[in-house]
Structure formats: C-alpha cells, structure tokens
Amino acid sequence: MMYTAKGTLNRDDQLRKYSPLVRRLAHHMIAKLPPSVEVDDLIQVGMIGLTEAIARFEPSQGVQFETFASQRIRGAMIDELREGDWMSRGSRKSQKDIEQAVHRLQQKLHRAPLESEIAKELGMELADYQHLLAKVRGTQLVYLEDISGRDDDEEGFLDRHMGDEEADPSALLQDHRMRMALVAAIKVLPEREQQIMSMYYEHDMNLKEIAAVLGVTESRICQLHSQSIARLRTKLREH
C-alpha cells in the first residue's frame, strides 16, 4: 500500500494499480446488461468510485483496500444504472413473461421445462423464442427493483431475506441464505445450463469464454444464460 508523507493513500499510484480492477468489474457487470449499456461508461463511473474509495479509505477499519474499493466501484456503477433507464420496460415485461411461463410449466410438469415447451407455452415458434431470449440478454439474476420491491407493487423477494434497501445486488449474493438458495436452484437446472451458470458465477467466466469452452456461439450461450436466469428467478421467488 502506497502512502504520502501525510499517511494518506497516494491517489495516482492507487488509480494505476487498481484500474484493472475497475475494468474487470465493468466487464463482469456488462455481461448481465443489455447491449445498449456501454462498458466504457461503466468503467468511467467505476473510476470515479475508485477515486472516492481512495479518498475515504481508513486502514484502521481493518478492511483490505481492494474489498473496500470493489464495493465503492460496484456501487458507483449501480447508481449510474439506477439513474438511467438501462433496461426498457418492454424487455422487463418479456423477461417476466418468460418467468411466468416457466413457473406454470414447472407446476404442471413437475420438472424443468424444455426450451421448446417454454416457446409453446408463450405461443411462439422456437426460433422466435430464442430471438426473444437474445433480446432480453443480460437480464439480471437480481433486479435493482428487487431490492426495494418498487416494481408493480410486488414485494421484492430479496426484501424478505435482507431489508437493506441500499445494498449492492452483488453484495446481496454474498448473503449465506441467498447463496444456499442459489446453489440449490442451479442444481436443478438442465445439465447444459448448470454448466453455464457454474462457470459464470463460480468461476467468474464471461459469456464469450463459456462459449469457447462449450464449443458453441456466444449468442447461443447468451440465449441459454437468459433462460437460466428466468428459471433461477422463478425458483428463488419460492424462498
């Protein structure tokens, strides 16, 4: 850790050292967001978050700087997304339609429905359904409105686990109960989707890297990722 003569962090040195952290967090977050969100915009606000972290860090608090900075960087990015209409209402509605179709089929079939069955439940051709999955690409496992329960007067399912309205969605996933529920939900996904979500959440791989490992196109991984998110959100709402 580099300090100035006054015992404070050297801002320029820390900015250089931790700018790769900002880029890594931005690229991980962008995989969960629609194509309309530019990674450079996230990096820019993330650097502002890093600057604030350097100014506010107190070594006496007993927290590692990287941990402290990561929280500030993510928080800055999420604040930026919250202020902008980063996901259109149409995309949100499409994702909810998919989730509801998955839920109905699970209740009826008592198993994870096939992709073709979900398409049929939605009254769509398989190709049209796959196109829809690509369109809602990057819909998050945890929506921002899940935190506050402000969407359509529903209580956010995370409100029932934690009550911190200002918490960072990525930090919420660190909660033990939420992690246990997520692990259990992933275990009942179809095998291919289990692989994708395991690589994504446990091994911190992006969609392009996962596509290379599984030998399919990134767009196909994108479709399956969106479908997996719908299945997981349906399952997590039961908790």
Side-chain angles (χ1 to χ4, degrees):
M1 194 68 69
M2 300 176 182
Y3 296 90
T4 65
K6 294 182 179 179
T8 56
L9 291 177
N10 185 306
R11 188 175 71 92
D12 291 343
D13 287 343
Q14 294 301 101
L15 285 173
R16 280 194 296 270
K17 181 177 179 181
Y18 289 100
S19 59
L21 172 65
V22 174
R23 289 194 292 272
R24 187 166 72 247
L25 291 172
H27 281 283
H28 186 66
M29 188 175 287
I30 202 74
K32 307 173 188 177
L33 299 170
S36 57
V37 180
E38 296 287 343
V39 70
D40 287 346
D41 291 338
L42 289 184
I43 290 172
Q44 185 175 11
V45 296
M47 290 301 292
I48 294 171
L50 174 59
T51 302
E52 291 177 353
I54 293 168
R56 298 186 182 191
F57 181 65
E58 293 287 345
S60 60
Q61 293 176 344
V63 179
Q64 287 190 339
F65 177 72
E66 185 167 339
T67 301
F68 179 80
S70 294
Q71 293 173 343
R72 287 278 174 181
I73 293 163
R74 287 194 190 99
M77 292 176 182
I78 287 165
D79 284 345
E80 178 73 10
L81 294 170
R82 186 182 282 119
E83 289 174 8
D85 188 14
W86 59 275
M87 184 177 178
S88 71
R89 283 197 167 273
S91 292
R92 294 184 199 205
K93 182 181 183 305
S94 295
Q95 180 67 10
K96 284 200 168 189
D97 288 344
I98 294 169
E99 288 173 27
Q100 289 166 2
V102 168
H103 178 71
R104 289 193 300 270
L105 288 168
Q106 284 180 172
Q107 295 294 309
K108 183 165 61 176
L109 301 172
H110 304 291
R111 61 169 172 78
L114 302 174
E115 195 172 14
S116 57
E117 292 170 334
I118 300 171
K120 185 176 180 181
E121 180 71 16
L122 289 167
M124 305 174 75
E125 296 294 329
L126 180 58
D128 292 333
Y129 171 59
Q130 290 174 339
H131 178 74
L132 181 63
L133 286 172
K135 182 182 175 184
V136 298
R137 174 209 166 196
T139 48
Q140 293 179 297
L141 177 59
V142 181
Y143 290 159
L144 295 174
E145 54 266 32
D146 282 333
I147 304 166
S148 60
R150 287 174 296 181
D151 189 42
D152 297 331
D153 297 323
E154 290 183 9
E155 179 191 20
F157 69 86
L158 292 178
D159 278 341
R160 297 195 293 273
H161 291 275
M162 300 52 130
D164 182 2
E165 293 191 357
E166 294 304 314
D168 176 351
S170 59
L172 292 173
L173 288 176
Q174 302 301 319
D175 180 88
H176 178 69
R177 289 167 296 174
M178 188 65 184
R179 271 194 172 278
M180 294 301 291
L182 179 59
V183 168
I186 287 175
K187 284 181 179 178
V188 297
L189 288 173
E191 185 177 356
R192 176 55 65 92
E193 292 178 34
Q194 276 191 53
Q195 288 180 295
I196 292 169
M197 301 310 279
S198 174
M199 284 187 274
Y200 189 79
Y201 283 104
E202 294 179 35
H203 301 288
D204 204 26
M205 296 170 64
N206 60 38
L207 302 186
K208 185 175 182 178
E209 292 167 337
I210 295 170
V213 170
L214 297 181
V216 296
T217 64
E218 185 178 353
S219 63
R220 180 57 181 154
I221 294 297
C222 179
Q223 293 168 2
L224 292 173
H225 177 261
S226 293
Q227 184 167 266
S228 300
I229 291 291
R231 294 188 200 272
L232 290 174
R233 283 179 56 81
T234 299
K235 194 71 177 174
L236 289 172
R237 284 187 182 277
E238 298 172 6
H239 289 267

